[in-house]
Each structure stands twice: as C-alpha cells, then as structure tokens.
Amino acid sequence: MSQSSGGQIDTVMQEDRIFSPSEKFVSQAQIASLEASQQMWDDAHRDPIAFWDQFAKEELHWFEPYRQVLEWQEPFAKWFLGGKTNVAYNCIDAHLGTEREDKTAILWEGEPGDQRTLTYRELHEEVCRFANVLKHLGIVPGDVVSIYMPMVPELAIAMLACARVGAVHSVIFAGFSSEAIADRNQDAGAKLQLTADGGWRRGKNLPLKDTVDAALEKSSTVEKCVVLRRTGIQVSMQEGRDFWWHELMENASPDCPAEPMDSEAPLFILYTSGSTGKPKGIKHTTAGYNLYVKKTFEWVFDHRDDDVFWCTADCGWITGHSYIVYGPFSAGATCVMYEGAPNHPHEDRFWEIVEKHRVTIFYTAPTAIRAFIKWGDHHVEKHDLTSLRLLGTVGEGINPEAWIWYHKMIGAERCPIVDTWWQTETGGIMMSPLPGAISTKPGSCTKPLPGVMPVIVDEQGDLVASNNGGMLCIDHPWPGMLRGIWGDDERYREQYWSKVPGKYLTGDNARCDNDGYYWIMGRIDDVINVSGHRLSTIEVESALVSHPHVAEAAAIGRPDEIKGQAIAVFVTIKDVEASDELRGELKQHVRKEIGALAQPDDIRFTNALPKTRSGKIMRRLLRDIAEGKEKVGDTTTLEDYSVLANLREDEE
Ligand code: 7RM
C-alpha cells in the first residue's frame, strides 16, 4: 500500500479477474478489436475537432451547416457554431422513408400489465400532434416546459415535442414533492406544466395531479397545465388553467415541421441535488448533446438493428434522457419502457419483461442488482433470458461480487458487461468498455471512450502516479458536456472549474491501474481518513459485499480522537439473523480481504440503507447519524424517509 501524501487516496483492493468477450460476440461486434478501438481513440486524441466534425456531418441532419466545430472560452464551450438542426428531427424524421419507418420505437409495459407499441411513424405522428398542442398553448422557442409524468410513452412524446418546437424541457422525477417541483419551476421560470392524473407504483396510485396542484400555487411563472389521463383517479381541473391531454390532441394536426434550432439552443434543464438547498439546473444544448448520446449509445451498446434495448432508468434522470430517449431514438433503436417497480407484482417482473420482449441489451443500476441478489436466484431461474447478449450498469460503482452474480445469473457467462461511468453533467457515457474490444475487470469502468481525456490529480493539481487514487478530472471539452448551471454562471465556475485550473472537476475520486483501467473510488467528500490513510468507501463496501451474508453495505468515516476517523459500516444482511458473532466475522472478513487498516470499527445492521430516489447510497446522511446529529442534512432527494427513522431506532 502506498503512503498517503498530497491528498492521494490509498487503494487496498486487489481485483485480478479479467473477462474477455466471447468469439461469437466479437465476430458480430461493430468495434471488434483492441486495435480498432485504439485507432479511434488515437484519432480523437490527435485531432478532437476533426474527429467530432466528421461524425457531426455524417450523423445529424443540418437545416443549415455549422461554420465552426468548437469555440472554447473556458469554462464555456460552444459546439458546431452557426449550425441549425433539431433533436426531434434526428430522433424520428431521420428514420422516415427508411426501413426503420415501421420499426418499433417504443415497447411499453404498464405496471398493471397493459402494453403499447409505437413504430417510428406512429411516434412521429404523436410527437407532431403534441408539438402543435404546445404551440396552441402559446409555447415558443426558448420557453421552459416543466414535465412531471409517470413512465408512459407520453413522457417521451412530451420531451420530443418540446425539442421539436424549440422549447426547453425540465423533467422532474414523478416522486418528488410539491415543494421540489415549485422550487425547480421557479428557478427555471417554467411557463407550462405537463402532468398526469396519477401513476402506478407497486400497485398504488400516485396522485400526481394533486401534487402538481400544490406546486402550482407556488410556481408564479406557470400559466397552464396539461393533464394526461393515466390511472383514472378523480382530479380537480382548474378552469382556464388546466386542460386534458386527450382533448387537446383531438383537434391537433399531425403536421408540424421541426423548428430549425441553433446548435447551442438549450434542449433541457435537469435538476440535480446540490450541496446547498438551492436547486441546481444542469443545462444541455442541442447539437453537441445529440451527437454525443447517439455515438456513445452506438459504441457502448454495440447497437444493431435487430436489438431490443432496455434501460430500466426513469426519464426523470439523465440516464433516461440520454439512453431511453435521445441516444436510442437517434440511432433508430427499439426501446422497452417500463412504468413500474421491479418487484411488482413479484420480484421477477424484470425477467418476465426480458423474456416477453426478447430483450437483447439490458442496462440497469447496481442498487437494482443488489436487490435481485437479495430476492433470490429462483426469481431469475423461472425465466428464459437467452435473448440477452449484452448487459450494462450505471449510477454507482458495482461491487465485484455483484458484478460476478450479474455475469453468471443474468448473463449466463455469455454477455459482456459494460460498467458505464458518467454524470448528469457529462451528458453521456465517458468511460466504459467497448464490449467487443475491451476485456473487463469486475468493478472497473475500464477505459475512456474516444475523445474523452480523463486525468487524475492530487490536492495540488499534480498528476498522480499510476495506481494511486486522486481527483478525477476531464481535460478537454467534449460535445455532450454541460453548458452551465441554469441562471448561475458563477456557481458553474466555482463548482467545476476552480479547484483544478483548466480542467473539469468531476467530484469523484478514481485510480488508473497499470493496464490503463479506471476504478472509480466514490465521491471526493466521502473519503475516509484513518490515521492519515485516505480510504475509498467502495473498497471497504466491496470487501463486505463479498461475504455470503452481506446484501449491501455503506462505509463512512466517523470522528475518532486517536485515528482522526474510524470506519463505521452500515450493513444489510441476507439469509441469517444479526448477531455479535456475525459482526466479528465481518470484521475479520474485511481484514482478510483488504487489510487491518480497513477493518471496520463499528458495524451496524440495518434493514435498508438511505438512498436517493435514483438509487444511490446517501453516505452523507449516514455520517450525520453516526455522529449522533439531531438534525441530518438536506433530505429532499431521499427515497424513503422511514429508513432514517429505523436507523435511529437501531442505534446502539
Ligand atoms: C449517470 C449518473 C453521477 C455520479 C458519478 C459517480 C456515480 C455513476 C458510475 C458511478 C462508479 C459508475 N449520473 N456513478 N456511474 N460510480 N461507477 N459506473 O448516474 O449525475 O446521477 O450521478 O454517480 O459518483 O459522479 S448522476
């Protein structure tokens, strides 16, 4: 182990397993060798401008050509200056008149078991009609439309219709409170609200319109509201403000040419949780984002025309924006879209859907994988998953043992796994295996995609040596990068461009091993400092998860008079009861796996960990609890409040 100096992060994890794609996979892959991927990477590195220029010309429809590829006035990038295109056009119209016109675009499954399919032609008609509805309601290019809807096809239709008329959408996950909606609406200056009467979640009817009604009392800029009928629950409609989706659509013409939009016209705002209470609206624009999500979708998922792609995220997150809607549709893919929970009506719902629709590419989050493991293999074994050829993960680091389970149980050791590292801010995937070209190591997101230039630096901003952990930054602008924080250039500079001069600060720690493989080590703020050794949360957690009775683990540093910090871990277990004996066994297990230094001081058993609504473990809250704080920090993004109450009761 290296001695810490200059703020580097120690690594204690040793993961030597390596998996190569099968001959069959490679023989059919688009990028089918290390040499081919290296060639792309070298081309992009040598001349990023020429690299992206060529793709932009080939892959997007231009109403007017651009005159300059990139203008970089740090920290503000503009891509494809002077060009005019339209994201909805690239996602739909581009496929009309080709063999994709009658191809299925959306394969939708409602939670209660209802089903709908839309071909690209049908999607085109729906989007055009709703685009006319938007115009009829007075929406003009640049207006902000707030969307608070369940995972139904109309959510994608609404996003695409906004893009078609040049409106900027702000999708808010349909689980947020009325306060959260109002805060975001105010910050964005939203003019129109789109919602539904309700949505299904684990058999319950979520009263979305009621929540919106409360939000609109405090959304001073919102003038009108369109309501989709989904569950049929009773809602109150305010005369002159609220309109039924289906009534407006009845009279809407299916003819609506796409608005030629400037390359840098804002496409959407997506709010992420900042460290302060103030909502942070990440801004993405038109052409660069569109190109980036299209190419990364094709590269990472090795997309072919006969694929059935399923990304299990919600459109309320960046993963849904980029890899349910804009990336796959630009590439002409068939996408499964599912409305509900993975355990409704039973814990095998996802596998039932995979079997039913013959899904070939499945993209989900580590939190879901850990839940599947906990629920038991028999749910998986009931179903025929032989259609799958490629698996993916996103959202958190995946513990190597969870990776191995995914590889064996879901992939039957046949499917490569793409562990994709990226952020709301990056727009699309930044690091991931190219599945036909790059061998995988469980727990590593492997290598940067072509054109992505990661660097790892210490507190002084100096590059760290290979295998040392440090702050992950990105060195050169890329087309999908955020263009700022909505209405707050100063915060954008301060948060992403001030700590390490000249580089985009991701906020994550990482190390790059001797083979050039990257290992994400968690958020900078989550580092545990034990006697001057700075440890990453994921390594301690992965050591715990490799124990047969551990389902999930979260490691944090709590204050300690002697060591600076002590390691406290919160653990959910499976198949056995909590006991002091197990506690001792787990400490020994971690000690054996990664060493005495990383051995937890406290182990607290819990039936659930606090997570964000998109499934990330909230270590910050656990720190507050471990420190015995009466009031924990910002909980607006917390998924389940009862978890906190339970953790408190469990306190020793
Ligand atoms: C796509 C998304 C971003 C943060 C990011 C990381 C963590 C995401 C991985 C990962 C390890 C991964 N956007 N993260 N993917 N950590 N391995 N493959 O999740 O804006 O919501 O979150 O998520 O900390 O900075 S996000």
Side-chain angles (χ1 to χ4, degrees), residues 262-273:
D262 190 272
S263 290
E264 282 299 333
L267 177 67
F268 65 84
I269 314 167
L270 187 54
Y271 285 89
T272 68
S273 51

PDB file of all heavy atoms in Angstrom, residues 262-273:
ATOM      1  N   ASP A 262     -30.773  26.517 -33.304  1.00  0.00           N
ATOM      2  CA  ASP A 262     -29.340  26.765 -33.240  1.00  0.00           C
ATOM      3  C   ASP A 262     -28.650  25.611 -32.502  1.00  0.00           C
ATOM      4  O   ASP A 262     -29.206  25.068 -31.540  1.00  0.00           O
ATOM      5  CB  ASP A 262     -29.098  28.083 -32.503  1.00  0.00           C
ATOM      6  CG  ASP A 262     -27.652  28.514 -32.632  1.00  0.00           C
ATOM      7  OD1 ASP A 262     -26.820  28.099 -31.799  1.00  0.00           O
ATOM      8  OD2 ASP A 262     -27.359  29.245 -33.597  1.00  0.00           O
ATOM      9  N   SER A 263     -27.456  25.267 -32.935  1.00  0.00           N
ATOM     10  CA  SER A 263     -26.700  24.184 -32.284  1.00  0.00           C
ATOM     11  C   SER A 263     -26.619  24.365 -30.779  1.00  0.00           C
ATOM     12  O   SER A 263     -26.637  23.394 -30.033  1.00  0.00           O
ATOM     13  CB  SER A 263     -25.265  24.148 -32.809  1.00  0.00           C
ATOM     14  OG  SER A 263     -25.234  23.710 -34.125  1.00  0.00           O
ATOM     15  N   GLU A 264     -26.495  25.596 -30.335  1.00  0.00           N
ATOM     16  CA  GLU A 264     -26.329  25.853 -28.905  1.00  0.00           C
ATOM     17  C   GLU A 264     -27.622  26.270 -28.210  1.00  0.00           C
ATOM     18  O   GLU A 264     -27.591  26.730 -27.067  1.00  0.00           O
ATOM     19  CB  GLU A 264     -25.224  26.884 -28.668  1.00  0.00           C
ATOM     20  CG  GLU A 264     -23.806  26.296 -28.783  1.00  0.00           C
ATOM     21  CD  GLU A 264     -23.516  25.178 -27.768  1.00  0.00           C
ATOM     22  OE1 GLU A 264     -24.142  25.165 -26.686  1.00  0.00           O
ATOM     23  OE2 GLU A 264     -22.681  24.311 -28.076  1.00  0.00           O
ATOM     24  N   ALA A 265     -28.767  26.113 -28.867  1.00  0.00           N
ATOM     25  CA  ALA A 265     -30.038  26.408 -28.192  1.00  0.00           C
ATOM     26  C   ALA A 265     -30.219  25.398 -27.061  1.00  0.00           C
ATOM     27  O   ALA A 265     -29.974  24.206 -27.243  1.00  0.00           O
ATOM     28  CB  ALA A 265     -31.187  26.294 -29.184  1.00  0.00           C
ATOM     29  N   PRO A 266     -30.641  25.850 -25.872  1.00  0.00           N
ATOM     30  CA  PRO A 266     -30.847  24.901 -24.778  1.00  0.00           C
ATOM     31  C   PRO A 266     -31.884  23.842 -25.167  1.00  0.00           C
ATOM     32  O   PRO A 266     -32.916  24.174 -25.741  1.00  0.00           O
ATOM     33  CB  PRO A 266     -31.381  25.776 -23.640  1.00  0.00           C
ATOM     34  CG  PRO A 266     -30.957  27.163 -23.969  1.00  0.00           C
ATOM     35  CD  PRO A 266     -30.913  27.234 -25.471  1.00  0.00           C
ATOM     36  N   LEU A 267     -31.571  22.582 -24.860  1.00  0.00           N
ATOM     37  CA  LEU A 267     -32.507  21.481 -25.123  1.00  0.00           C
ATOM     38  C   LEU A 267     -33.263  21.127 -23.850  1.00  0.00           C
ATOM     39  O   LEU A 267     -34.462  20.922 -23.858  1.00  0.00           O
ATOM     40  CB  LEU A 267     -31.744  20.256 -25.636  1.00  0.00           C
ATOM     41  CG  LEU A 267     -32.561  18.990 -25.882  1.00  0.00           C
ATOM     42  CD1 LEU A 267     -33.540  19.179 -27.040  1.00  0.00           C
ATOM     43  CD2 LEU A 267     -31.647  17.797 -26.164  1.00  0.00           C
ATOM     44  N   PHE A 268     -32.518  21.035 -22.752  1.00  0.00           N
ATOM     45  CA  PHE A 268     -33.195  20.748 -21.491  1.00  0.00           C
ATOM     46  C   PHE A 268     -32.401  21.223 -20.292  1.00  0.00           C
ATOM     47  O   PHE A 268     -31.202  21.513 -20.390  1.00  0.00           O
ATOM     48  CB  PHE A 268     -33.522  19.250 -21.352  1.00  0.00           C
ATOM     49  CG  PHE A 268     -32.340  18.311 -21.262  1.00  0.00           C
ATOM     50  CD1 PHE A 268     -31.691  18.073 -20.050  1.00  0.00           C
ATOM     51  CD2 PHE A 268     -31.901  17.633 -22.389  1.00  0.00           C
ATOM     52  CE1 PHE A 268     -30.625  17.186 -19.974  1.00  0.00           C
ATOM     53  CE2 PHE A 268     -30.826  16.740 -22.322  1.00  0.00           C
ATOM     54  CZ  PHE A 268     -30.189  16.518 -21.111  1.00  0.00           C
ATOM     55  N   ILE A 269     -33.119  21.323 -19.188  1.00  0.00           N
ATOM     56  CA  ILE A 269     -32.522  21.569 -17.884  1.00  0.00           C
ATOM     57  C   ILE A 269     -32.829  20.316 -17.079  1.00  0.00           C
ATOM     58  O   ILE A 269     -33.934  19.783 -17.162  1.00  0.00           O
ATOM     59  CB  ILE A 269     -33.189  22.751 -17.148  1.00  0.00           C
ATOM     60  CG1 ILE A 269     -33.381  23.951 -18.076  1.00  0.00           C
ATOM     61  CG2 ILE A 269     -32.426  23.134 -15.892  1.00  0.00           C
ATOM     62  CD1 ILE A 269     -34.298  25.014 -17.485  1.00  0.00           C
ATOM     63  N   LEU A 270     -31.870  19.845 -16.314  1.00  0.00           N
ATOM     64  CA  LEU A 270     -32.147  18.715 -15.444  1.00  0.00           C
ATOM     65  C   LEU A 270     -31.572  19.046 -14.073  1.00  0.00           C
ATOM     66  O   LEU A 270     -30.375  19.297 -13.941  1.00  0.00           O
ATOM     67  CB  LEU A 270     -31.544  17.432 -16.018  1.00  0.00           C
ATOM     68  CG  LEU A 270     -31.897  16.143 -15.293  1.00  0.00           C
ATOM     69  CD1 LEU A 270     -33.396  15.957 -15.159  1.00  0.00           C
ATOM     70  CD2 LEU A 270     -31.303  14.950 -16.032  1.00  0.00           C
ATOM     71  N   TYR A 271     -32.442  19.038 -13.072  1.00  0.00           N
ATOM     72  CA  TYR A 271     -32.009  19.438 -11.733  1.00  0.00           C
ATOM     73  C   TYR A 271     -31.359  18.267 -11.011  1.00  0.00           C
ATOM     74  O   TYR A 271     -31.858  17.145 -11.045  1.00  0.00           O
ATOM     75  CB  TYR A 271     -33.204  19.986 -10.941  1.00  0.00           C
ATOM     76  CG  TYR A 271     -33.546  21.374 -11.418  1.00  0.00           C
ATOM     77  CD1 TYR A 271     -34.440  21.587 -12.465  1.00  0.00           C
ATOM     78  CD2 TYR A 271     -32.891  22.484 -10.882  1.00  0.00           C
ATOM     79  CE1 TYR A 271     -34.699  22.851 -12.948  1.00  0.00           C
ATOM     80  CE2 TYR A 271     -33.146  23.763 -11.357  1.00  0.00           C
ATOM     81  CZ  TYR A 271     -34.042  23.933 -12.383  1.00  0.00           C
ATOM     82  OH  TYR A 271     -34.280  25.198 -12.863  1.00  0.00           O
ATOM     83  N   THR A 272     -30.233  18.556 -10.376  1.00  0.00           N
ATOM     84  CA  THR A 272     -29.576  17.541  -9.547  1.00  0.00           C
ATOM     85  C   THR A 272     -29.470  18.111  -8.140  1.00  0.00           C
ATOM     86  O   THR A 272     -29.575  19.318  -7.945  1.00  0.00           O
ATOM     87  CB  THR A 272     -28.160  17.206 -10.033  1.00  0.00           C
ATOM     88  OG1 THR A 272     -27.325  18.347  -9.809  1.00  0.00           O
ATOM     89  CG2 THR A 272     -28.143  16.847 -11.497  1.00  0.00           C
ATOM     90  N   SER A 273     -29.247  17.228  -7.198  1.00  0.00           N
ATOM     91  CA  SER A 273     -29.146  17.709  -5.830  1.00  0.00           C
ATOM     92  C   SER A 273     -27.786  18.373  -5.641  1.00  0.00           C
ATOM     93  O   SER A 273     -26.753  17.770  -5.884  1.00  0.00           O
ATOM     94  CB  SER A 273     -29.277  16.542  -4.873  1.00  0.00           C
ATOM     95  OG  SER A 273     -28.391  15.513  -5.245  1.00  0.00           O
TER      96      SER A 273
END
